[in-house]
Amino acid sequence: MAILKIARMGHPVLKRHAAKVDDPTAPEIARLIGDMIETMEDADGTGLAAPQVHVLQRVVIFQIARERISGEEGEEGEEGEEGEEAVPLTLLINPAIEPLGEEKVVGLEACLSLPGLAGLVPRFKRIRYRGLAPDGTAIEREAEGFHARVVQHECDHLDGVLYPERMADLSTLTFTSEMARPETL
Ligand code: NI
């Protein structure tokens, strides 16, 4: 396996539409996913989409650790992201998302392709998502809150969309290094 270079905002590969994977069980897909896992772990990311490592195939991976939910990041999220659960490492090929209801919640997002930045993004609160595992078996889950947010964020990468394009208020785009500063009145 190898740690891959992550494309940053502005690189054309992040704006392109990724192609459907014809054979989820192909050896090159297994190799890609292995490299993506190593790359995501090295970068301490929650999720990664194949276009971020310059591969225009519909593959996303994500993992939500319990400490990430109960820790600082969870507290920074806006209302409506309560009741979070850890999500095991999930490898999802050719994913599809269906919103469950119209309700959206605003929460903080960051992305390995926009290092050092974070912003508030509205996302569907509840979704159902489907896709294939690398062994070709079907995955279908319902998700809400941060889990639903991560899946929506990663799947956006497959259609060339980065989270600032989803933001309702660009004034909340912030360098994370500035976020710990207390407000002084
Ligand atoms: Ni991202």
Side-chain angles (χ1 to χ4, degrees), residues 101-163:
E102 294 294 309
E103 189 181 354
K104 290 190 174 183
V105 285
V106 173
L108 195 66
E109 291 189 23
C111 178
L112 294 173
S113 294
L114 288 74
L117 290 168
L120 293 176
V121 185
R123 297 283 187 186
F124 288 109
K125 182 177 182 181
R126 294 185 64 235
I127 62 168
R128 178 181 292 124
Y129 64 91
R130 297 181 173 88
L132 296 173
D135 63 1
T137 59
I139 295 172
E140 178 177 338
R141 287 183 193 154
E142 290 188 8
E144 65 176 74
F146 190 63
H147 181 185
R149 173 173 302 282
V150 168
V151 176
Q152 290 171 84
H153 175 116
E154 297 312 328
C155 290
D156 262 356
H157 278 298
L158 304 179
D159 295 323
V161 175
L162 299 177
Y163 76 80

Side-chain angles (χ1 to χ4, degrees), residues 53-180:
V53 292
H54 307 261
V55 178
L56 285 164
Q57 298 272 305
R58 300 187 83 79
V59 177
V60 301
I61 67 171
F62 49 89
Q63 178 172 34
I64 304 174
R66 188 163 293 281
E67 58 266 25
R68 197 173 278 273
I69 295 159
S70 56
E72 203 178 331
E73 285 202 18
E75 287 167 12
E76 282 167 356
E78 295 288 288
E79 290 168 21
E81 306 239 327
E82 73 283 353
E84 304 295 352
E85 289 182 14
V87 179
L89 177 63
T90 301
L91 320 170
L92 202 57
I93 298 163
N94 298 337
I97 293 176
E98 172 192 351
L100 298 174
E102 294 294 309
E103 189 181 354
K104 290 190 174 183
V105 285
V106 173
L108 195 66
E109 291 189 23
C111 178
L112 294 173
S113 294
L114 288 74
L117 290 168
L120 293 176
V121 185
R123 297 283 187 186
F124 288 109
K125 182 177 182 181
R126 294 185 64 235
I127 62 168
R128 178 181 292 124
Y129 64 91
R130 297 181 173 88
L132 296 173
D135 63 1
T137 59
I139 295 172
E140 178 177 338
R141 287 183 193 154
E142 290 188 8
E144 65 176 74
F146 190 63
H147 181 185
R149 173 173 302 282
V150 168
V151 176
Q152 290 171 84
H153 175 116
E154 297 312 328
C155 290
D156 262 356
H157 278 298
L158 304 179
D159 295 323
V161 175
L162 299 177
Y163 76 80
E165 295 164 66
R166 299 289 192 194
M167 290 176 68
D169 180 359
L170 275 173
S171 75
T172 67
L173 190 63
T174 305
F175 285 105
T176 51
S177 57
E178 304 292 339
M179 288 174 58

